[in-house]
Amino acid sequence: MKKFTLLFLSLLAAFSVNASIAVCGIDPDDNGHFNCPYIKSGSITWDETNRTLTLDNAVIEYNTDNLYDNIHPILITEDEATIIVHGACRLTTNGYVAISFDSYNAKQVTIQGDGSLCTSSTWIDLFIKATHLTVKDIYLETVNGIGDNGDGVGVALAFDHLQANLKGSVQRIAEGITFTNCSITYPADAYIGFTEGYGYAIMCSNNDYPDHIIISRGSNIMGDVNADGEVNIADVNAIIGVILGGGSNSRADVNCDGEINIADVSAVIGIIMGGGPSHDDHQYVDLGLPSGTLWATCNIGANSPEQCGDYFAWGEVTPKGVYSWETYKWCNGTSNSITKYCTDGELGAVDGKTELDAEDDAAYVNWGPSWRMPTSEQRNELFSACTWLWTSLNGVDGLLFTGPNGNTMFLPASGCCWQTIPDGSDLWGYFWTCTLIPSAPNSNCAACMIFNGEGKHWNSPFSRAAGLAIRAVRVS
């Protein structure tokens, strides 16, 4: 009888995992809402019919005295499910998992949307057990990585058009890790490795697991609203869907005017018919400036005006995981050992260069010969010839410039990177110029523009080793 009771309890536990969705241990009510005190802001809703969990600017903070209580900010044991991410969403817990796909059932789960998802836990942020997980379109940030604690049986992981800053390893993925329209940009020697009995993992050349991984979108195709790598009638339909109320998609603002309407449909049709910009081009705006300078409408690495895009150290052409003098390309590990672009012998080898060569210009290298980083004079003109207003676009704070001809351009408050995580996002904007601060003792600084909601600073000197955003100008 005792054996039968134990067997019954085991079977009951096995069947109990079919409770498909829980937020901090709480099931949704009949309307798909969660009466959960750990949801600090935003909203989380569950659509049982479509098996869709929607996070809209959702912030969850779950704290527990029992790290192994098996309660997580989000738990999914659904055979098929989609997590939609809108706005800036954050899941934090002092427990050991932030999002758990914890079931031995075969599952197909997708995390997608037009927002950002930042997770933090004490063990592993995305725990995927017997799960085929696809993460697409969003910005993803983890503190303790992605994977399985066993042999990874049944686990597959796909990244599609993803921008990600992953702290912690990605490992124990039995059925493979794939990338579509994105790639690992840090560490430079990263590759997909396989270990018998443990599955696939992101590894380094020393056969170790990197604890910091950056994934960047591999292309920025204008008009590719559905992010499938092509511009065709499907993108027209995607814009029409947004116009008719079918969700949000920042890529649908093809002409980057801050609105999604029939003008964006016309822009995509123009691209399809060959009358619009080429797939290798990037949009720009004529503000009617005296110099005739044409400014890009998006940062390098971004797909819409409000996105921060990639961060670059001055004179470097790829983003990376750590921004410091120890990792800076143009020095020997310290701020007074400059090897290029130096006018002060006390700070390094003097070469007299005060403006970036093309091969060290991130705009030229990433976008082609029609683009360059702006000079300090072009930054000055932007402020002197335009009016500006601190405002927000799609929930992101920044400056809206209005040129003499009435055209506008939005610069997001992108923050800056020193060491790893961007600092000051939504509070300050930092943008590089291509111009060195030539006068001693500032050869270890370059000119940038810093702004916030209270004032502006032109050509402020800033450490060359820091990671800042770049808004390019068109030169041909």
Side-chain angles (χ1 to χ4, degrees):
M1 180 66 181
K2 183 177 181 181
K3 290 183 178 179
F4 175 80
T5 301
L6 290 173
L7 176 61
F8 174 78
L9 291 174
S10 298
L11 290 173
L12 182 61
F15 282 115
S16 68
V17 301
N18 291 326
S20 58
I21 294 291
V23 173
C24 300
I26 297 174
D27 296 332
D29 61 23
D30 292 340
N31 296 316
H33 298 109
F34 297 87
N35 183 20
C36 177
Y38 301 103
I39 302 176
K40 302 301 181 181
S41 61
S43 65
I44 303 177
T45 55
W46 169 244
D47 183 336
E48 176 68 30
T49 301
N50 296 312
R51 301 180 180 227
T52 299
L53 186 72
T54 300
L55 281 62
D56 193 344
N57 288 293
V59 174
I60 297 178
E61 297 176 358
Y62 177 71
N63 295 304
T64 175
D65 294 328
N66 178 8
L67 301 183
Y68 303 99
D69 60 8
N70 204 34
I71 295 177
H72 317 295
I74 293 179
L75 171 65
I76 294 181
T77 57
E78 184 78 11
D79 288 347
E80 296 181 9
T82 299
I83 299 177
I84 303 295
V85 177
H86 295 316
C89 299
R90 177 167 54 87
L91 314 177
T92 62
T93 178
N94 66 343
Y96 66 99
V97 172
I99 305 180
S100 178
F101 311 103
D102 189 1
S103 169
Y104 287 92
N105 298 326
K107 295 190 296 298
Q108 300 285 339
V109 179
T110 300
I111 303 175
Q112 66 184 60
D114 55 8
S116 62
L117 177 63
C118 298
T119 60
S120 175
S121 66
T122 59
W123 175 55
I124 191 169
D125 282 10
L126 273 64
F127 177 70
I128 47 180
K129 173 73 73 174
T131 304
H132 287 199
L133 175 64
T134 299
V135 188
K136 60 187 299 185
D137 295 340
I138 67 170
Y139 170 79
L140 176 66
E141 185 175 291
T142 66
V143 170
N144 278 311
I146 304 172
D148 176 27
N149 68 336
D151 56 12
V153 172
V155 175
L157 182 59
F159 297 120
D160 187 351
H161 199 254
L162 183 72
Q163 192 83 16
N165 183 12
L166 308 179
K167 297 291 190 63
S169 61
V170 177
Q171 58 175 302
R172 297 181 183 270
I173 311 296
E175 297 186 18
I177 304 172
T178 60
F179 294 84
T180 303
N181 295 319
C182 59
S183 62
I184 301 172
T185 54
Y186 179 86
D189 60 348
Y191 69 97
I192 307 300
F194 179 81
T195 302
E196 189 68 35
Y198 291 91
Y200 292 89
I202 296 178
M203 306 181 72
C204 290
S205 57
N206 63 0
N207 296 321
D208 200 359
Y209 305 115
D211 59 5
H212 191 181
I213 300 162
I214 292 180
I215 299 172
S216 299
R217 294 186 175 98
S219 64
N220 185 9
I221 300 177
M222 194 185 314
D224 183 16
V225 180
N226 62 5
D228 65 355
E230 300 179 356
V231 181
N232 51 35
I233 194 64
D235 299 294
V236 174
N237 293 335
I239 297 174
I240 293 173
V242 173
I243 295 172
L244 295 178
S248 61
N249 184 342
S250 60
R251 289 185 303 276
D253 184 16
V254 179
N255 62 5
C256 296
D257 64 355
E259 299 179 357
I260 299 174
N261 51 36
I262 194 64
D264 299 294
V265 174
S266 299
V268 172
I269 293 175
I271 294 171
I272 296 171
M273 300 300 293
S278 69
H279 289 180
D280 295 329
D281 207 350
H282 300 271
Q283 288 187 328
Y284 54 88
V285 59
D286 180 1
L287 295 169
L289 300 174
S291 68
T293 299
L294 304 174
W295 286 83
T297 55
C298 299
N299 293 350
I300 294 176
N303 293 299
S304 63
E306 75 276 9
Q307 291 182 353
C308 297
D310 294 326
Y311 296 86
F312 299 86
W314 190 81
E316 295 184 359
V317 297
T318 57
K320 57 187 180 181
V322 177
Y323 295 84
S324 69
W325 287 109
E326 288 79 8
T327 65
Y328 184 55
K329 179 178 181 179
W330 300 117
C331 76
N332 290 320
T334 64
S335 61
N336 59 358
S337 61
I338 304 297
T339 59
K340 189 176 182 181
Y341 306 107
C342 183
T343 61
D344 182 358
E346 294 184 1
L347 295 178
V350 174
D351 58 11
K353 291 178 176 288
T354 59
E355 190 167 302
L356 289 173
D357 294 331
E359 62 266 24
D360 302 322
D361 185 311
Y364 179 91
V365 172
N366 286 276
W367 282 10
S370 296
W371 296 95
R372 292 295 299 267
M373 292 167 60
T375 65
S376 58
E377 289 79 11
Q378 288 169 322
R379 292 286 189 188
N380 288 346
E381 181 189 51
L382 185 63
F383 269 104
S384 63
C386 296
T387 60
W388 61 90
L389 173 68
W390 181 263
T391 185
S392 64
L393 178 62
N394 295 326
V396 177
D397 289 337
L399 280 187
L400 180 69
F401 292 85
T402 301
N405 62 3
N407 290 338
T408 62
M409 179 182 71
F410 182 80
L411 290 182
S414 53
C416 67
C417 282
W418 185 254
Q419 294 295 328
T420 55
I421 303 301
D423 182 39
S425 298
D426 294 330
L427 298 174
W428 292 82
Y430 296 80
F431 289 83
W432 279 131
T433 75
C434 66
T435 307
L436 182 72
I437 298 294
S439 58
N442 289 323
S443 284
N444 52 18
C445 295
C448 75
M449 178 176 64
I450 306 176
F451 61 79
N452 66 5
E454 299 176 354
K456 64 182 187 301
H457 303 273
W458 309 351
N459 288 334
S460 298
F462 210 78
S463 171
R464 290 163 52 171
L468 273 60
I470 294 175
R471 182 63 66 92
V473 296
R474 190 172 178 85
V475 297
S476 63

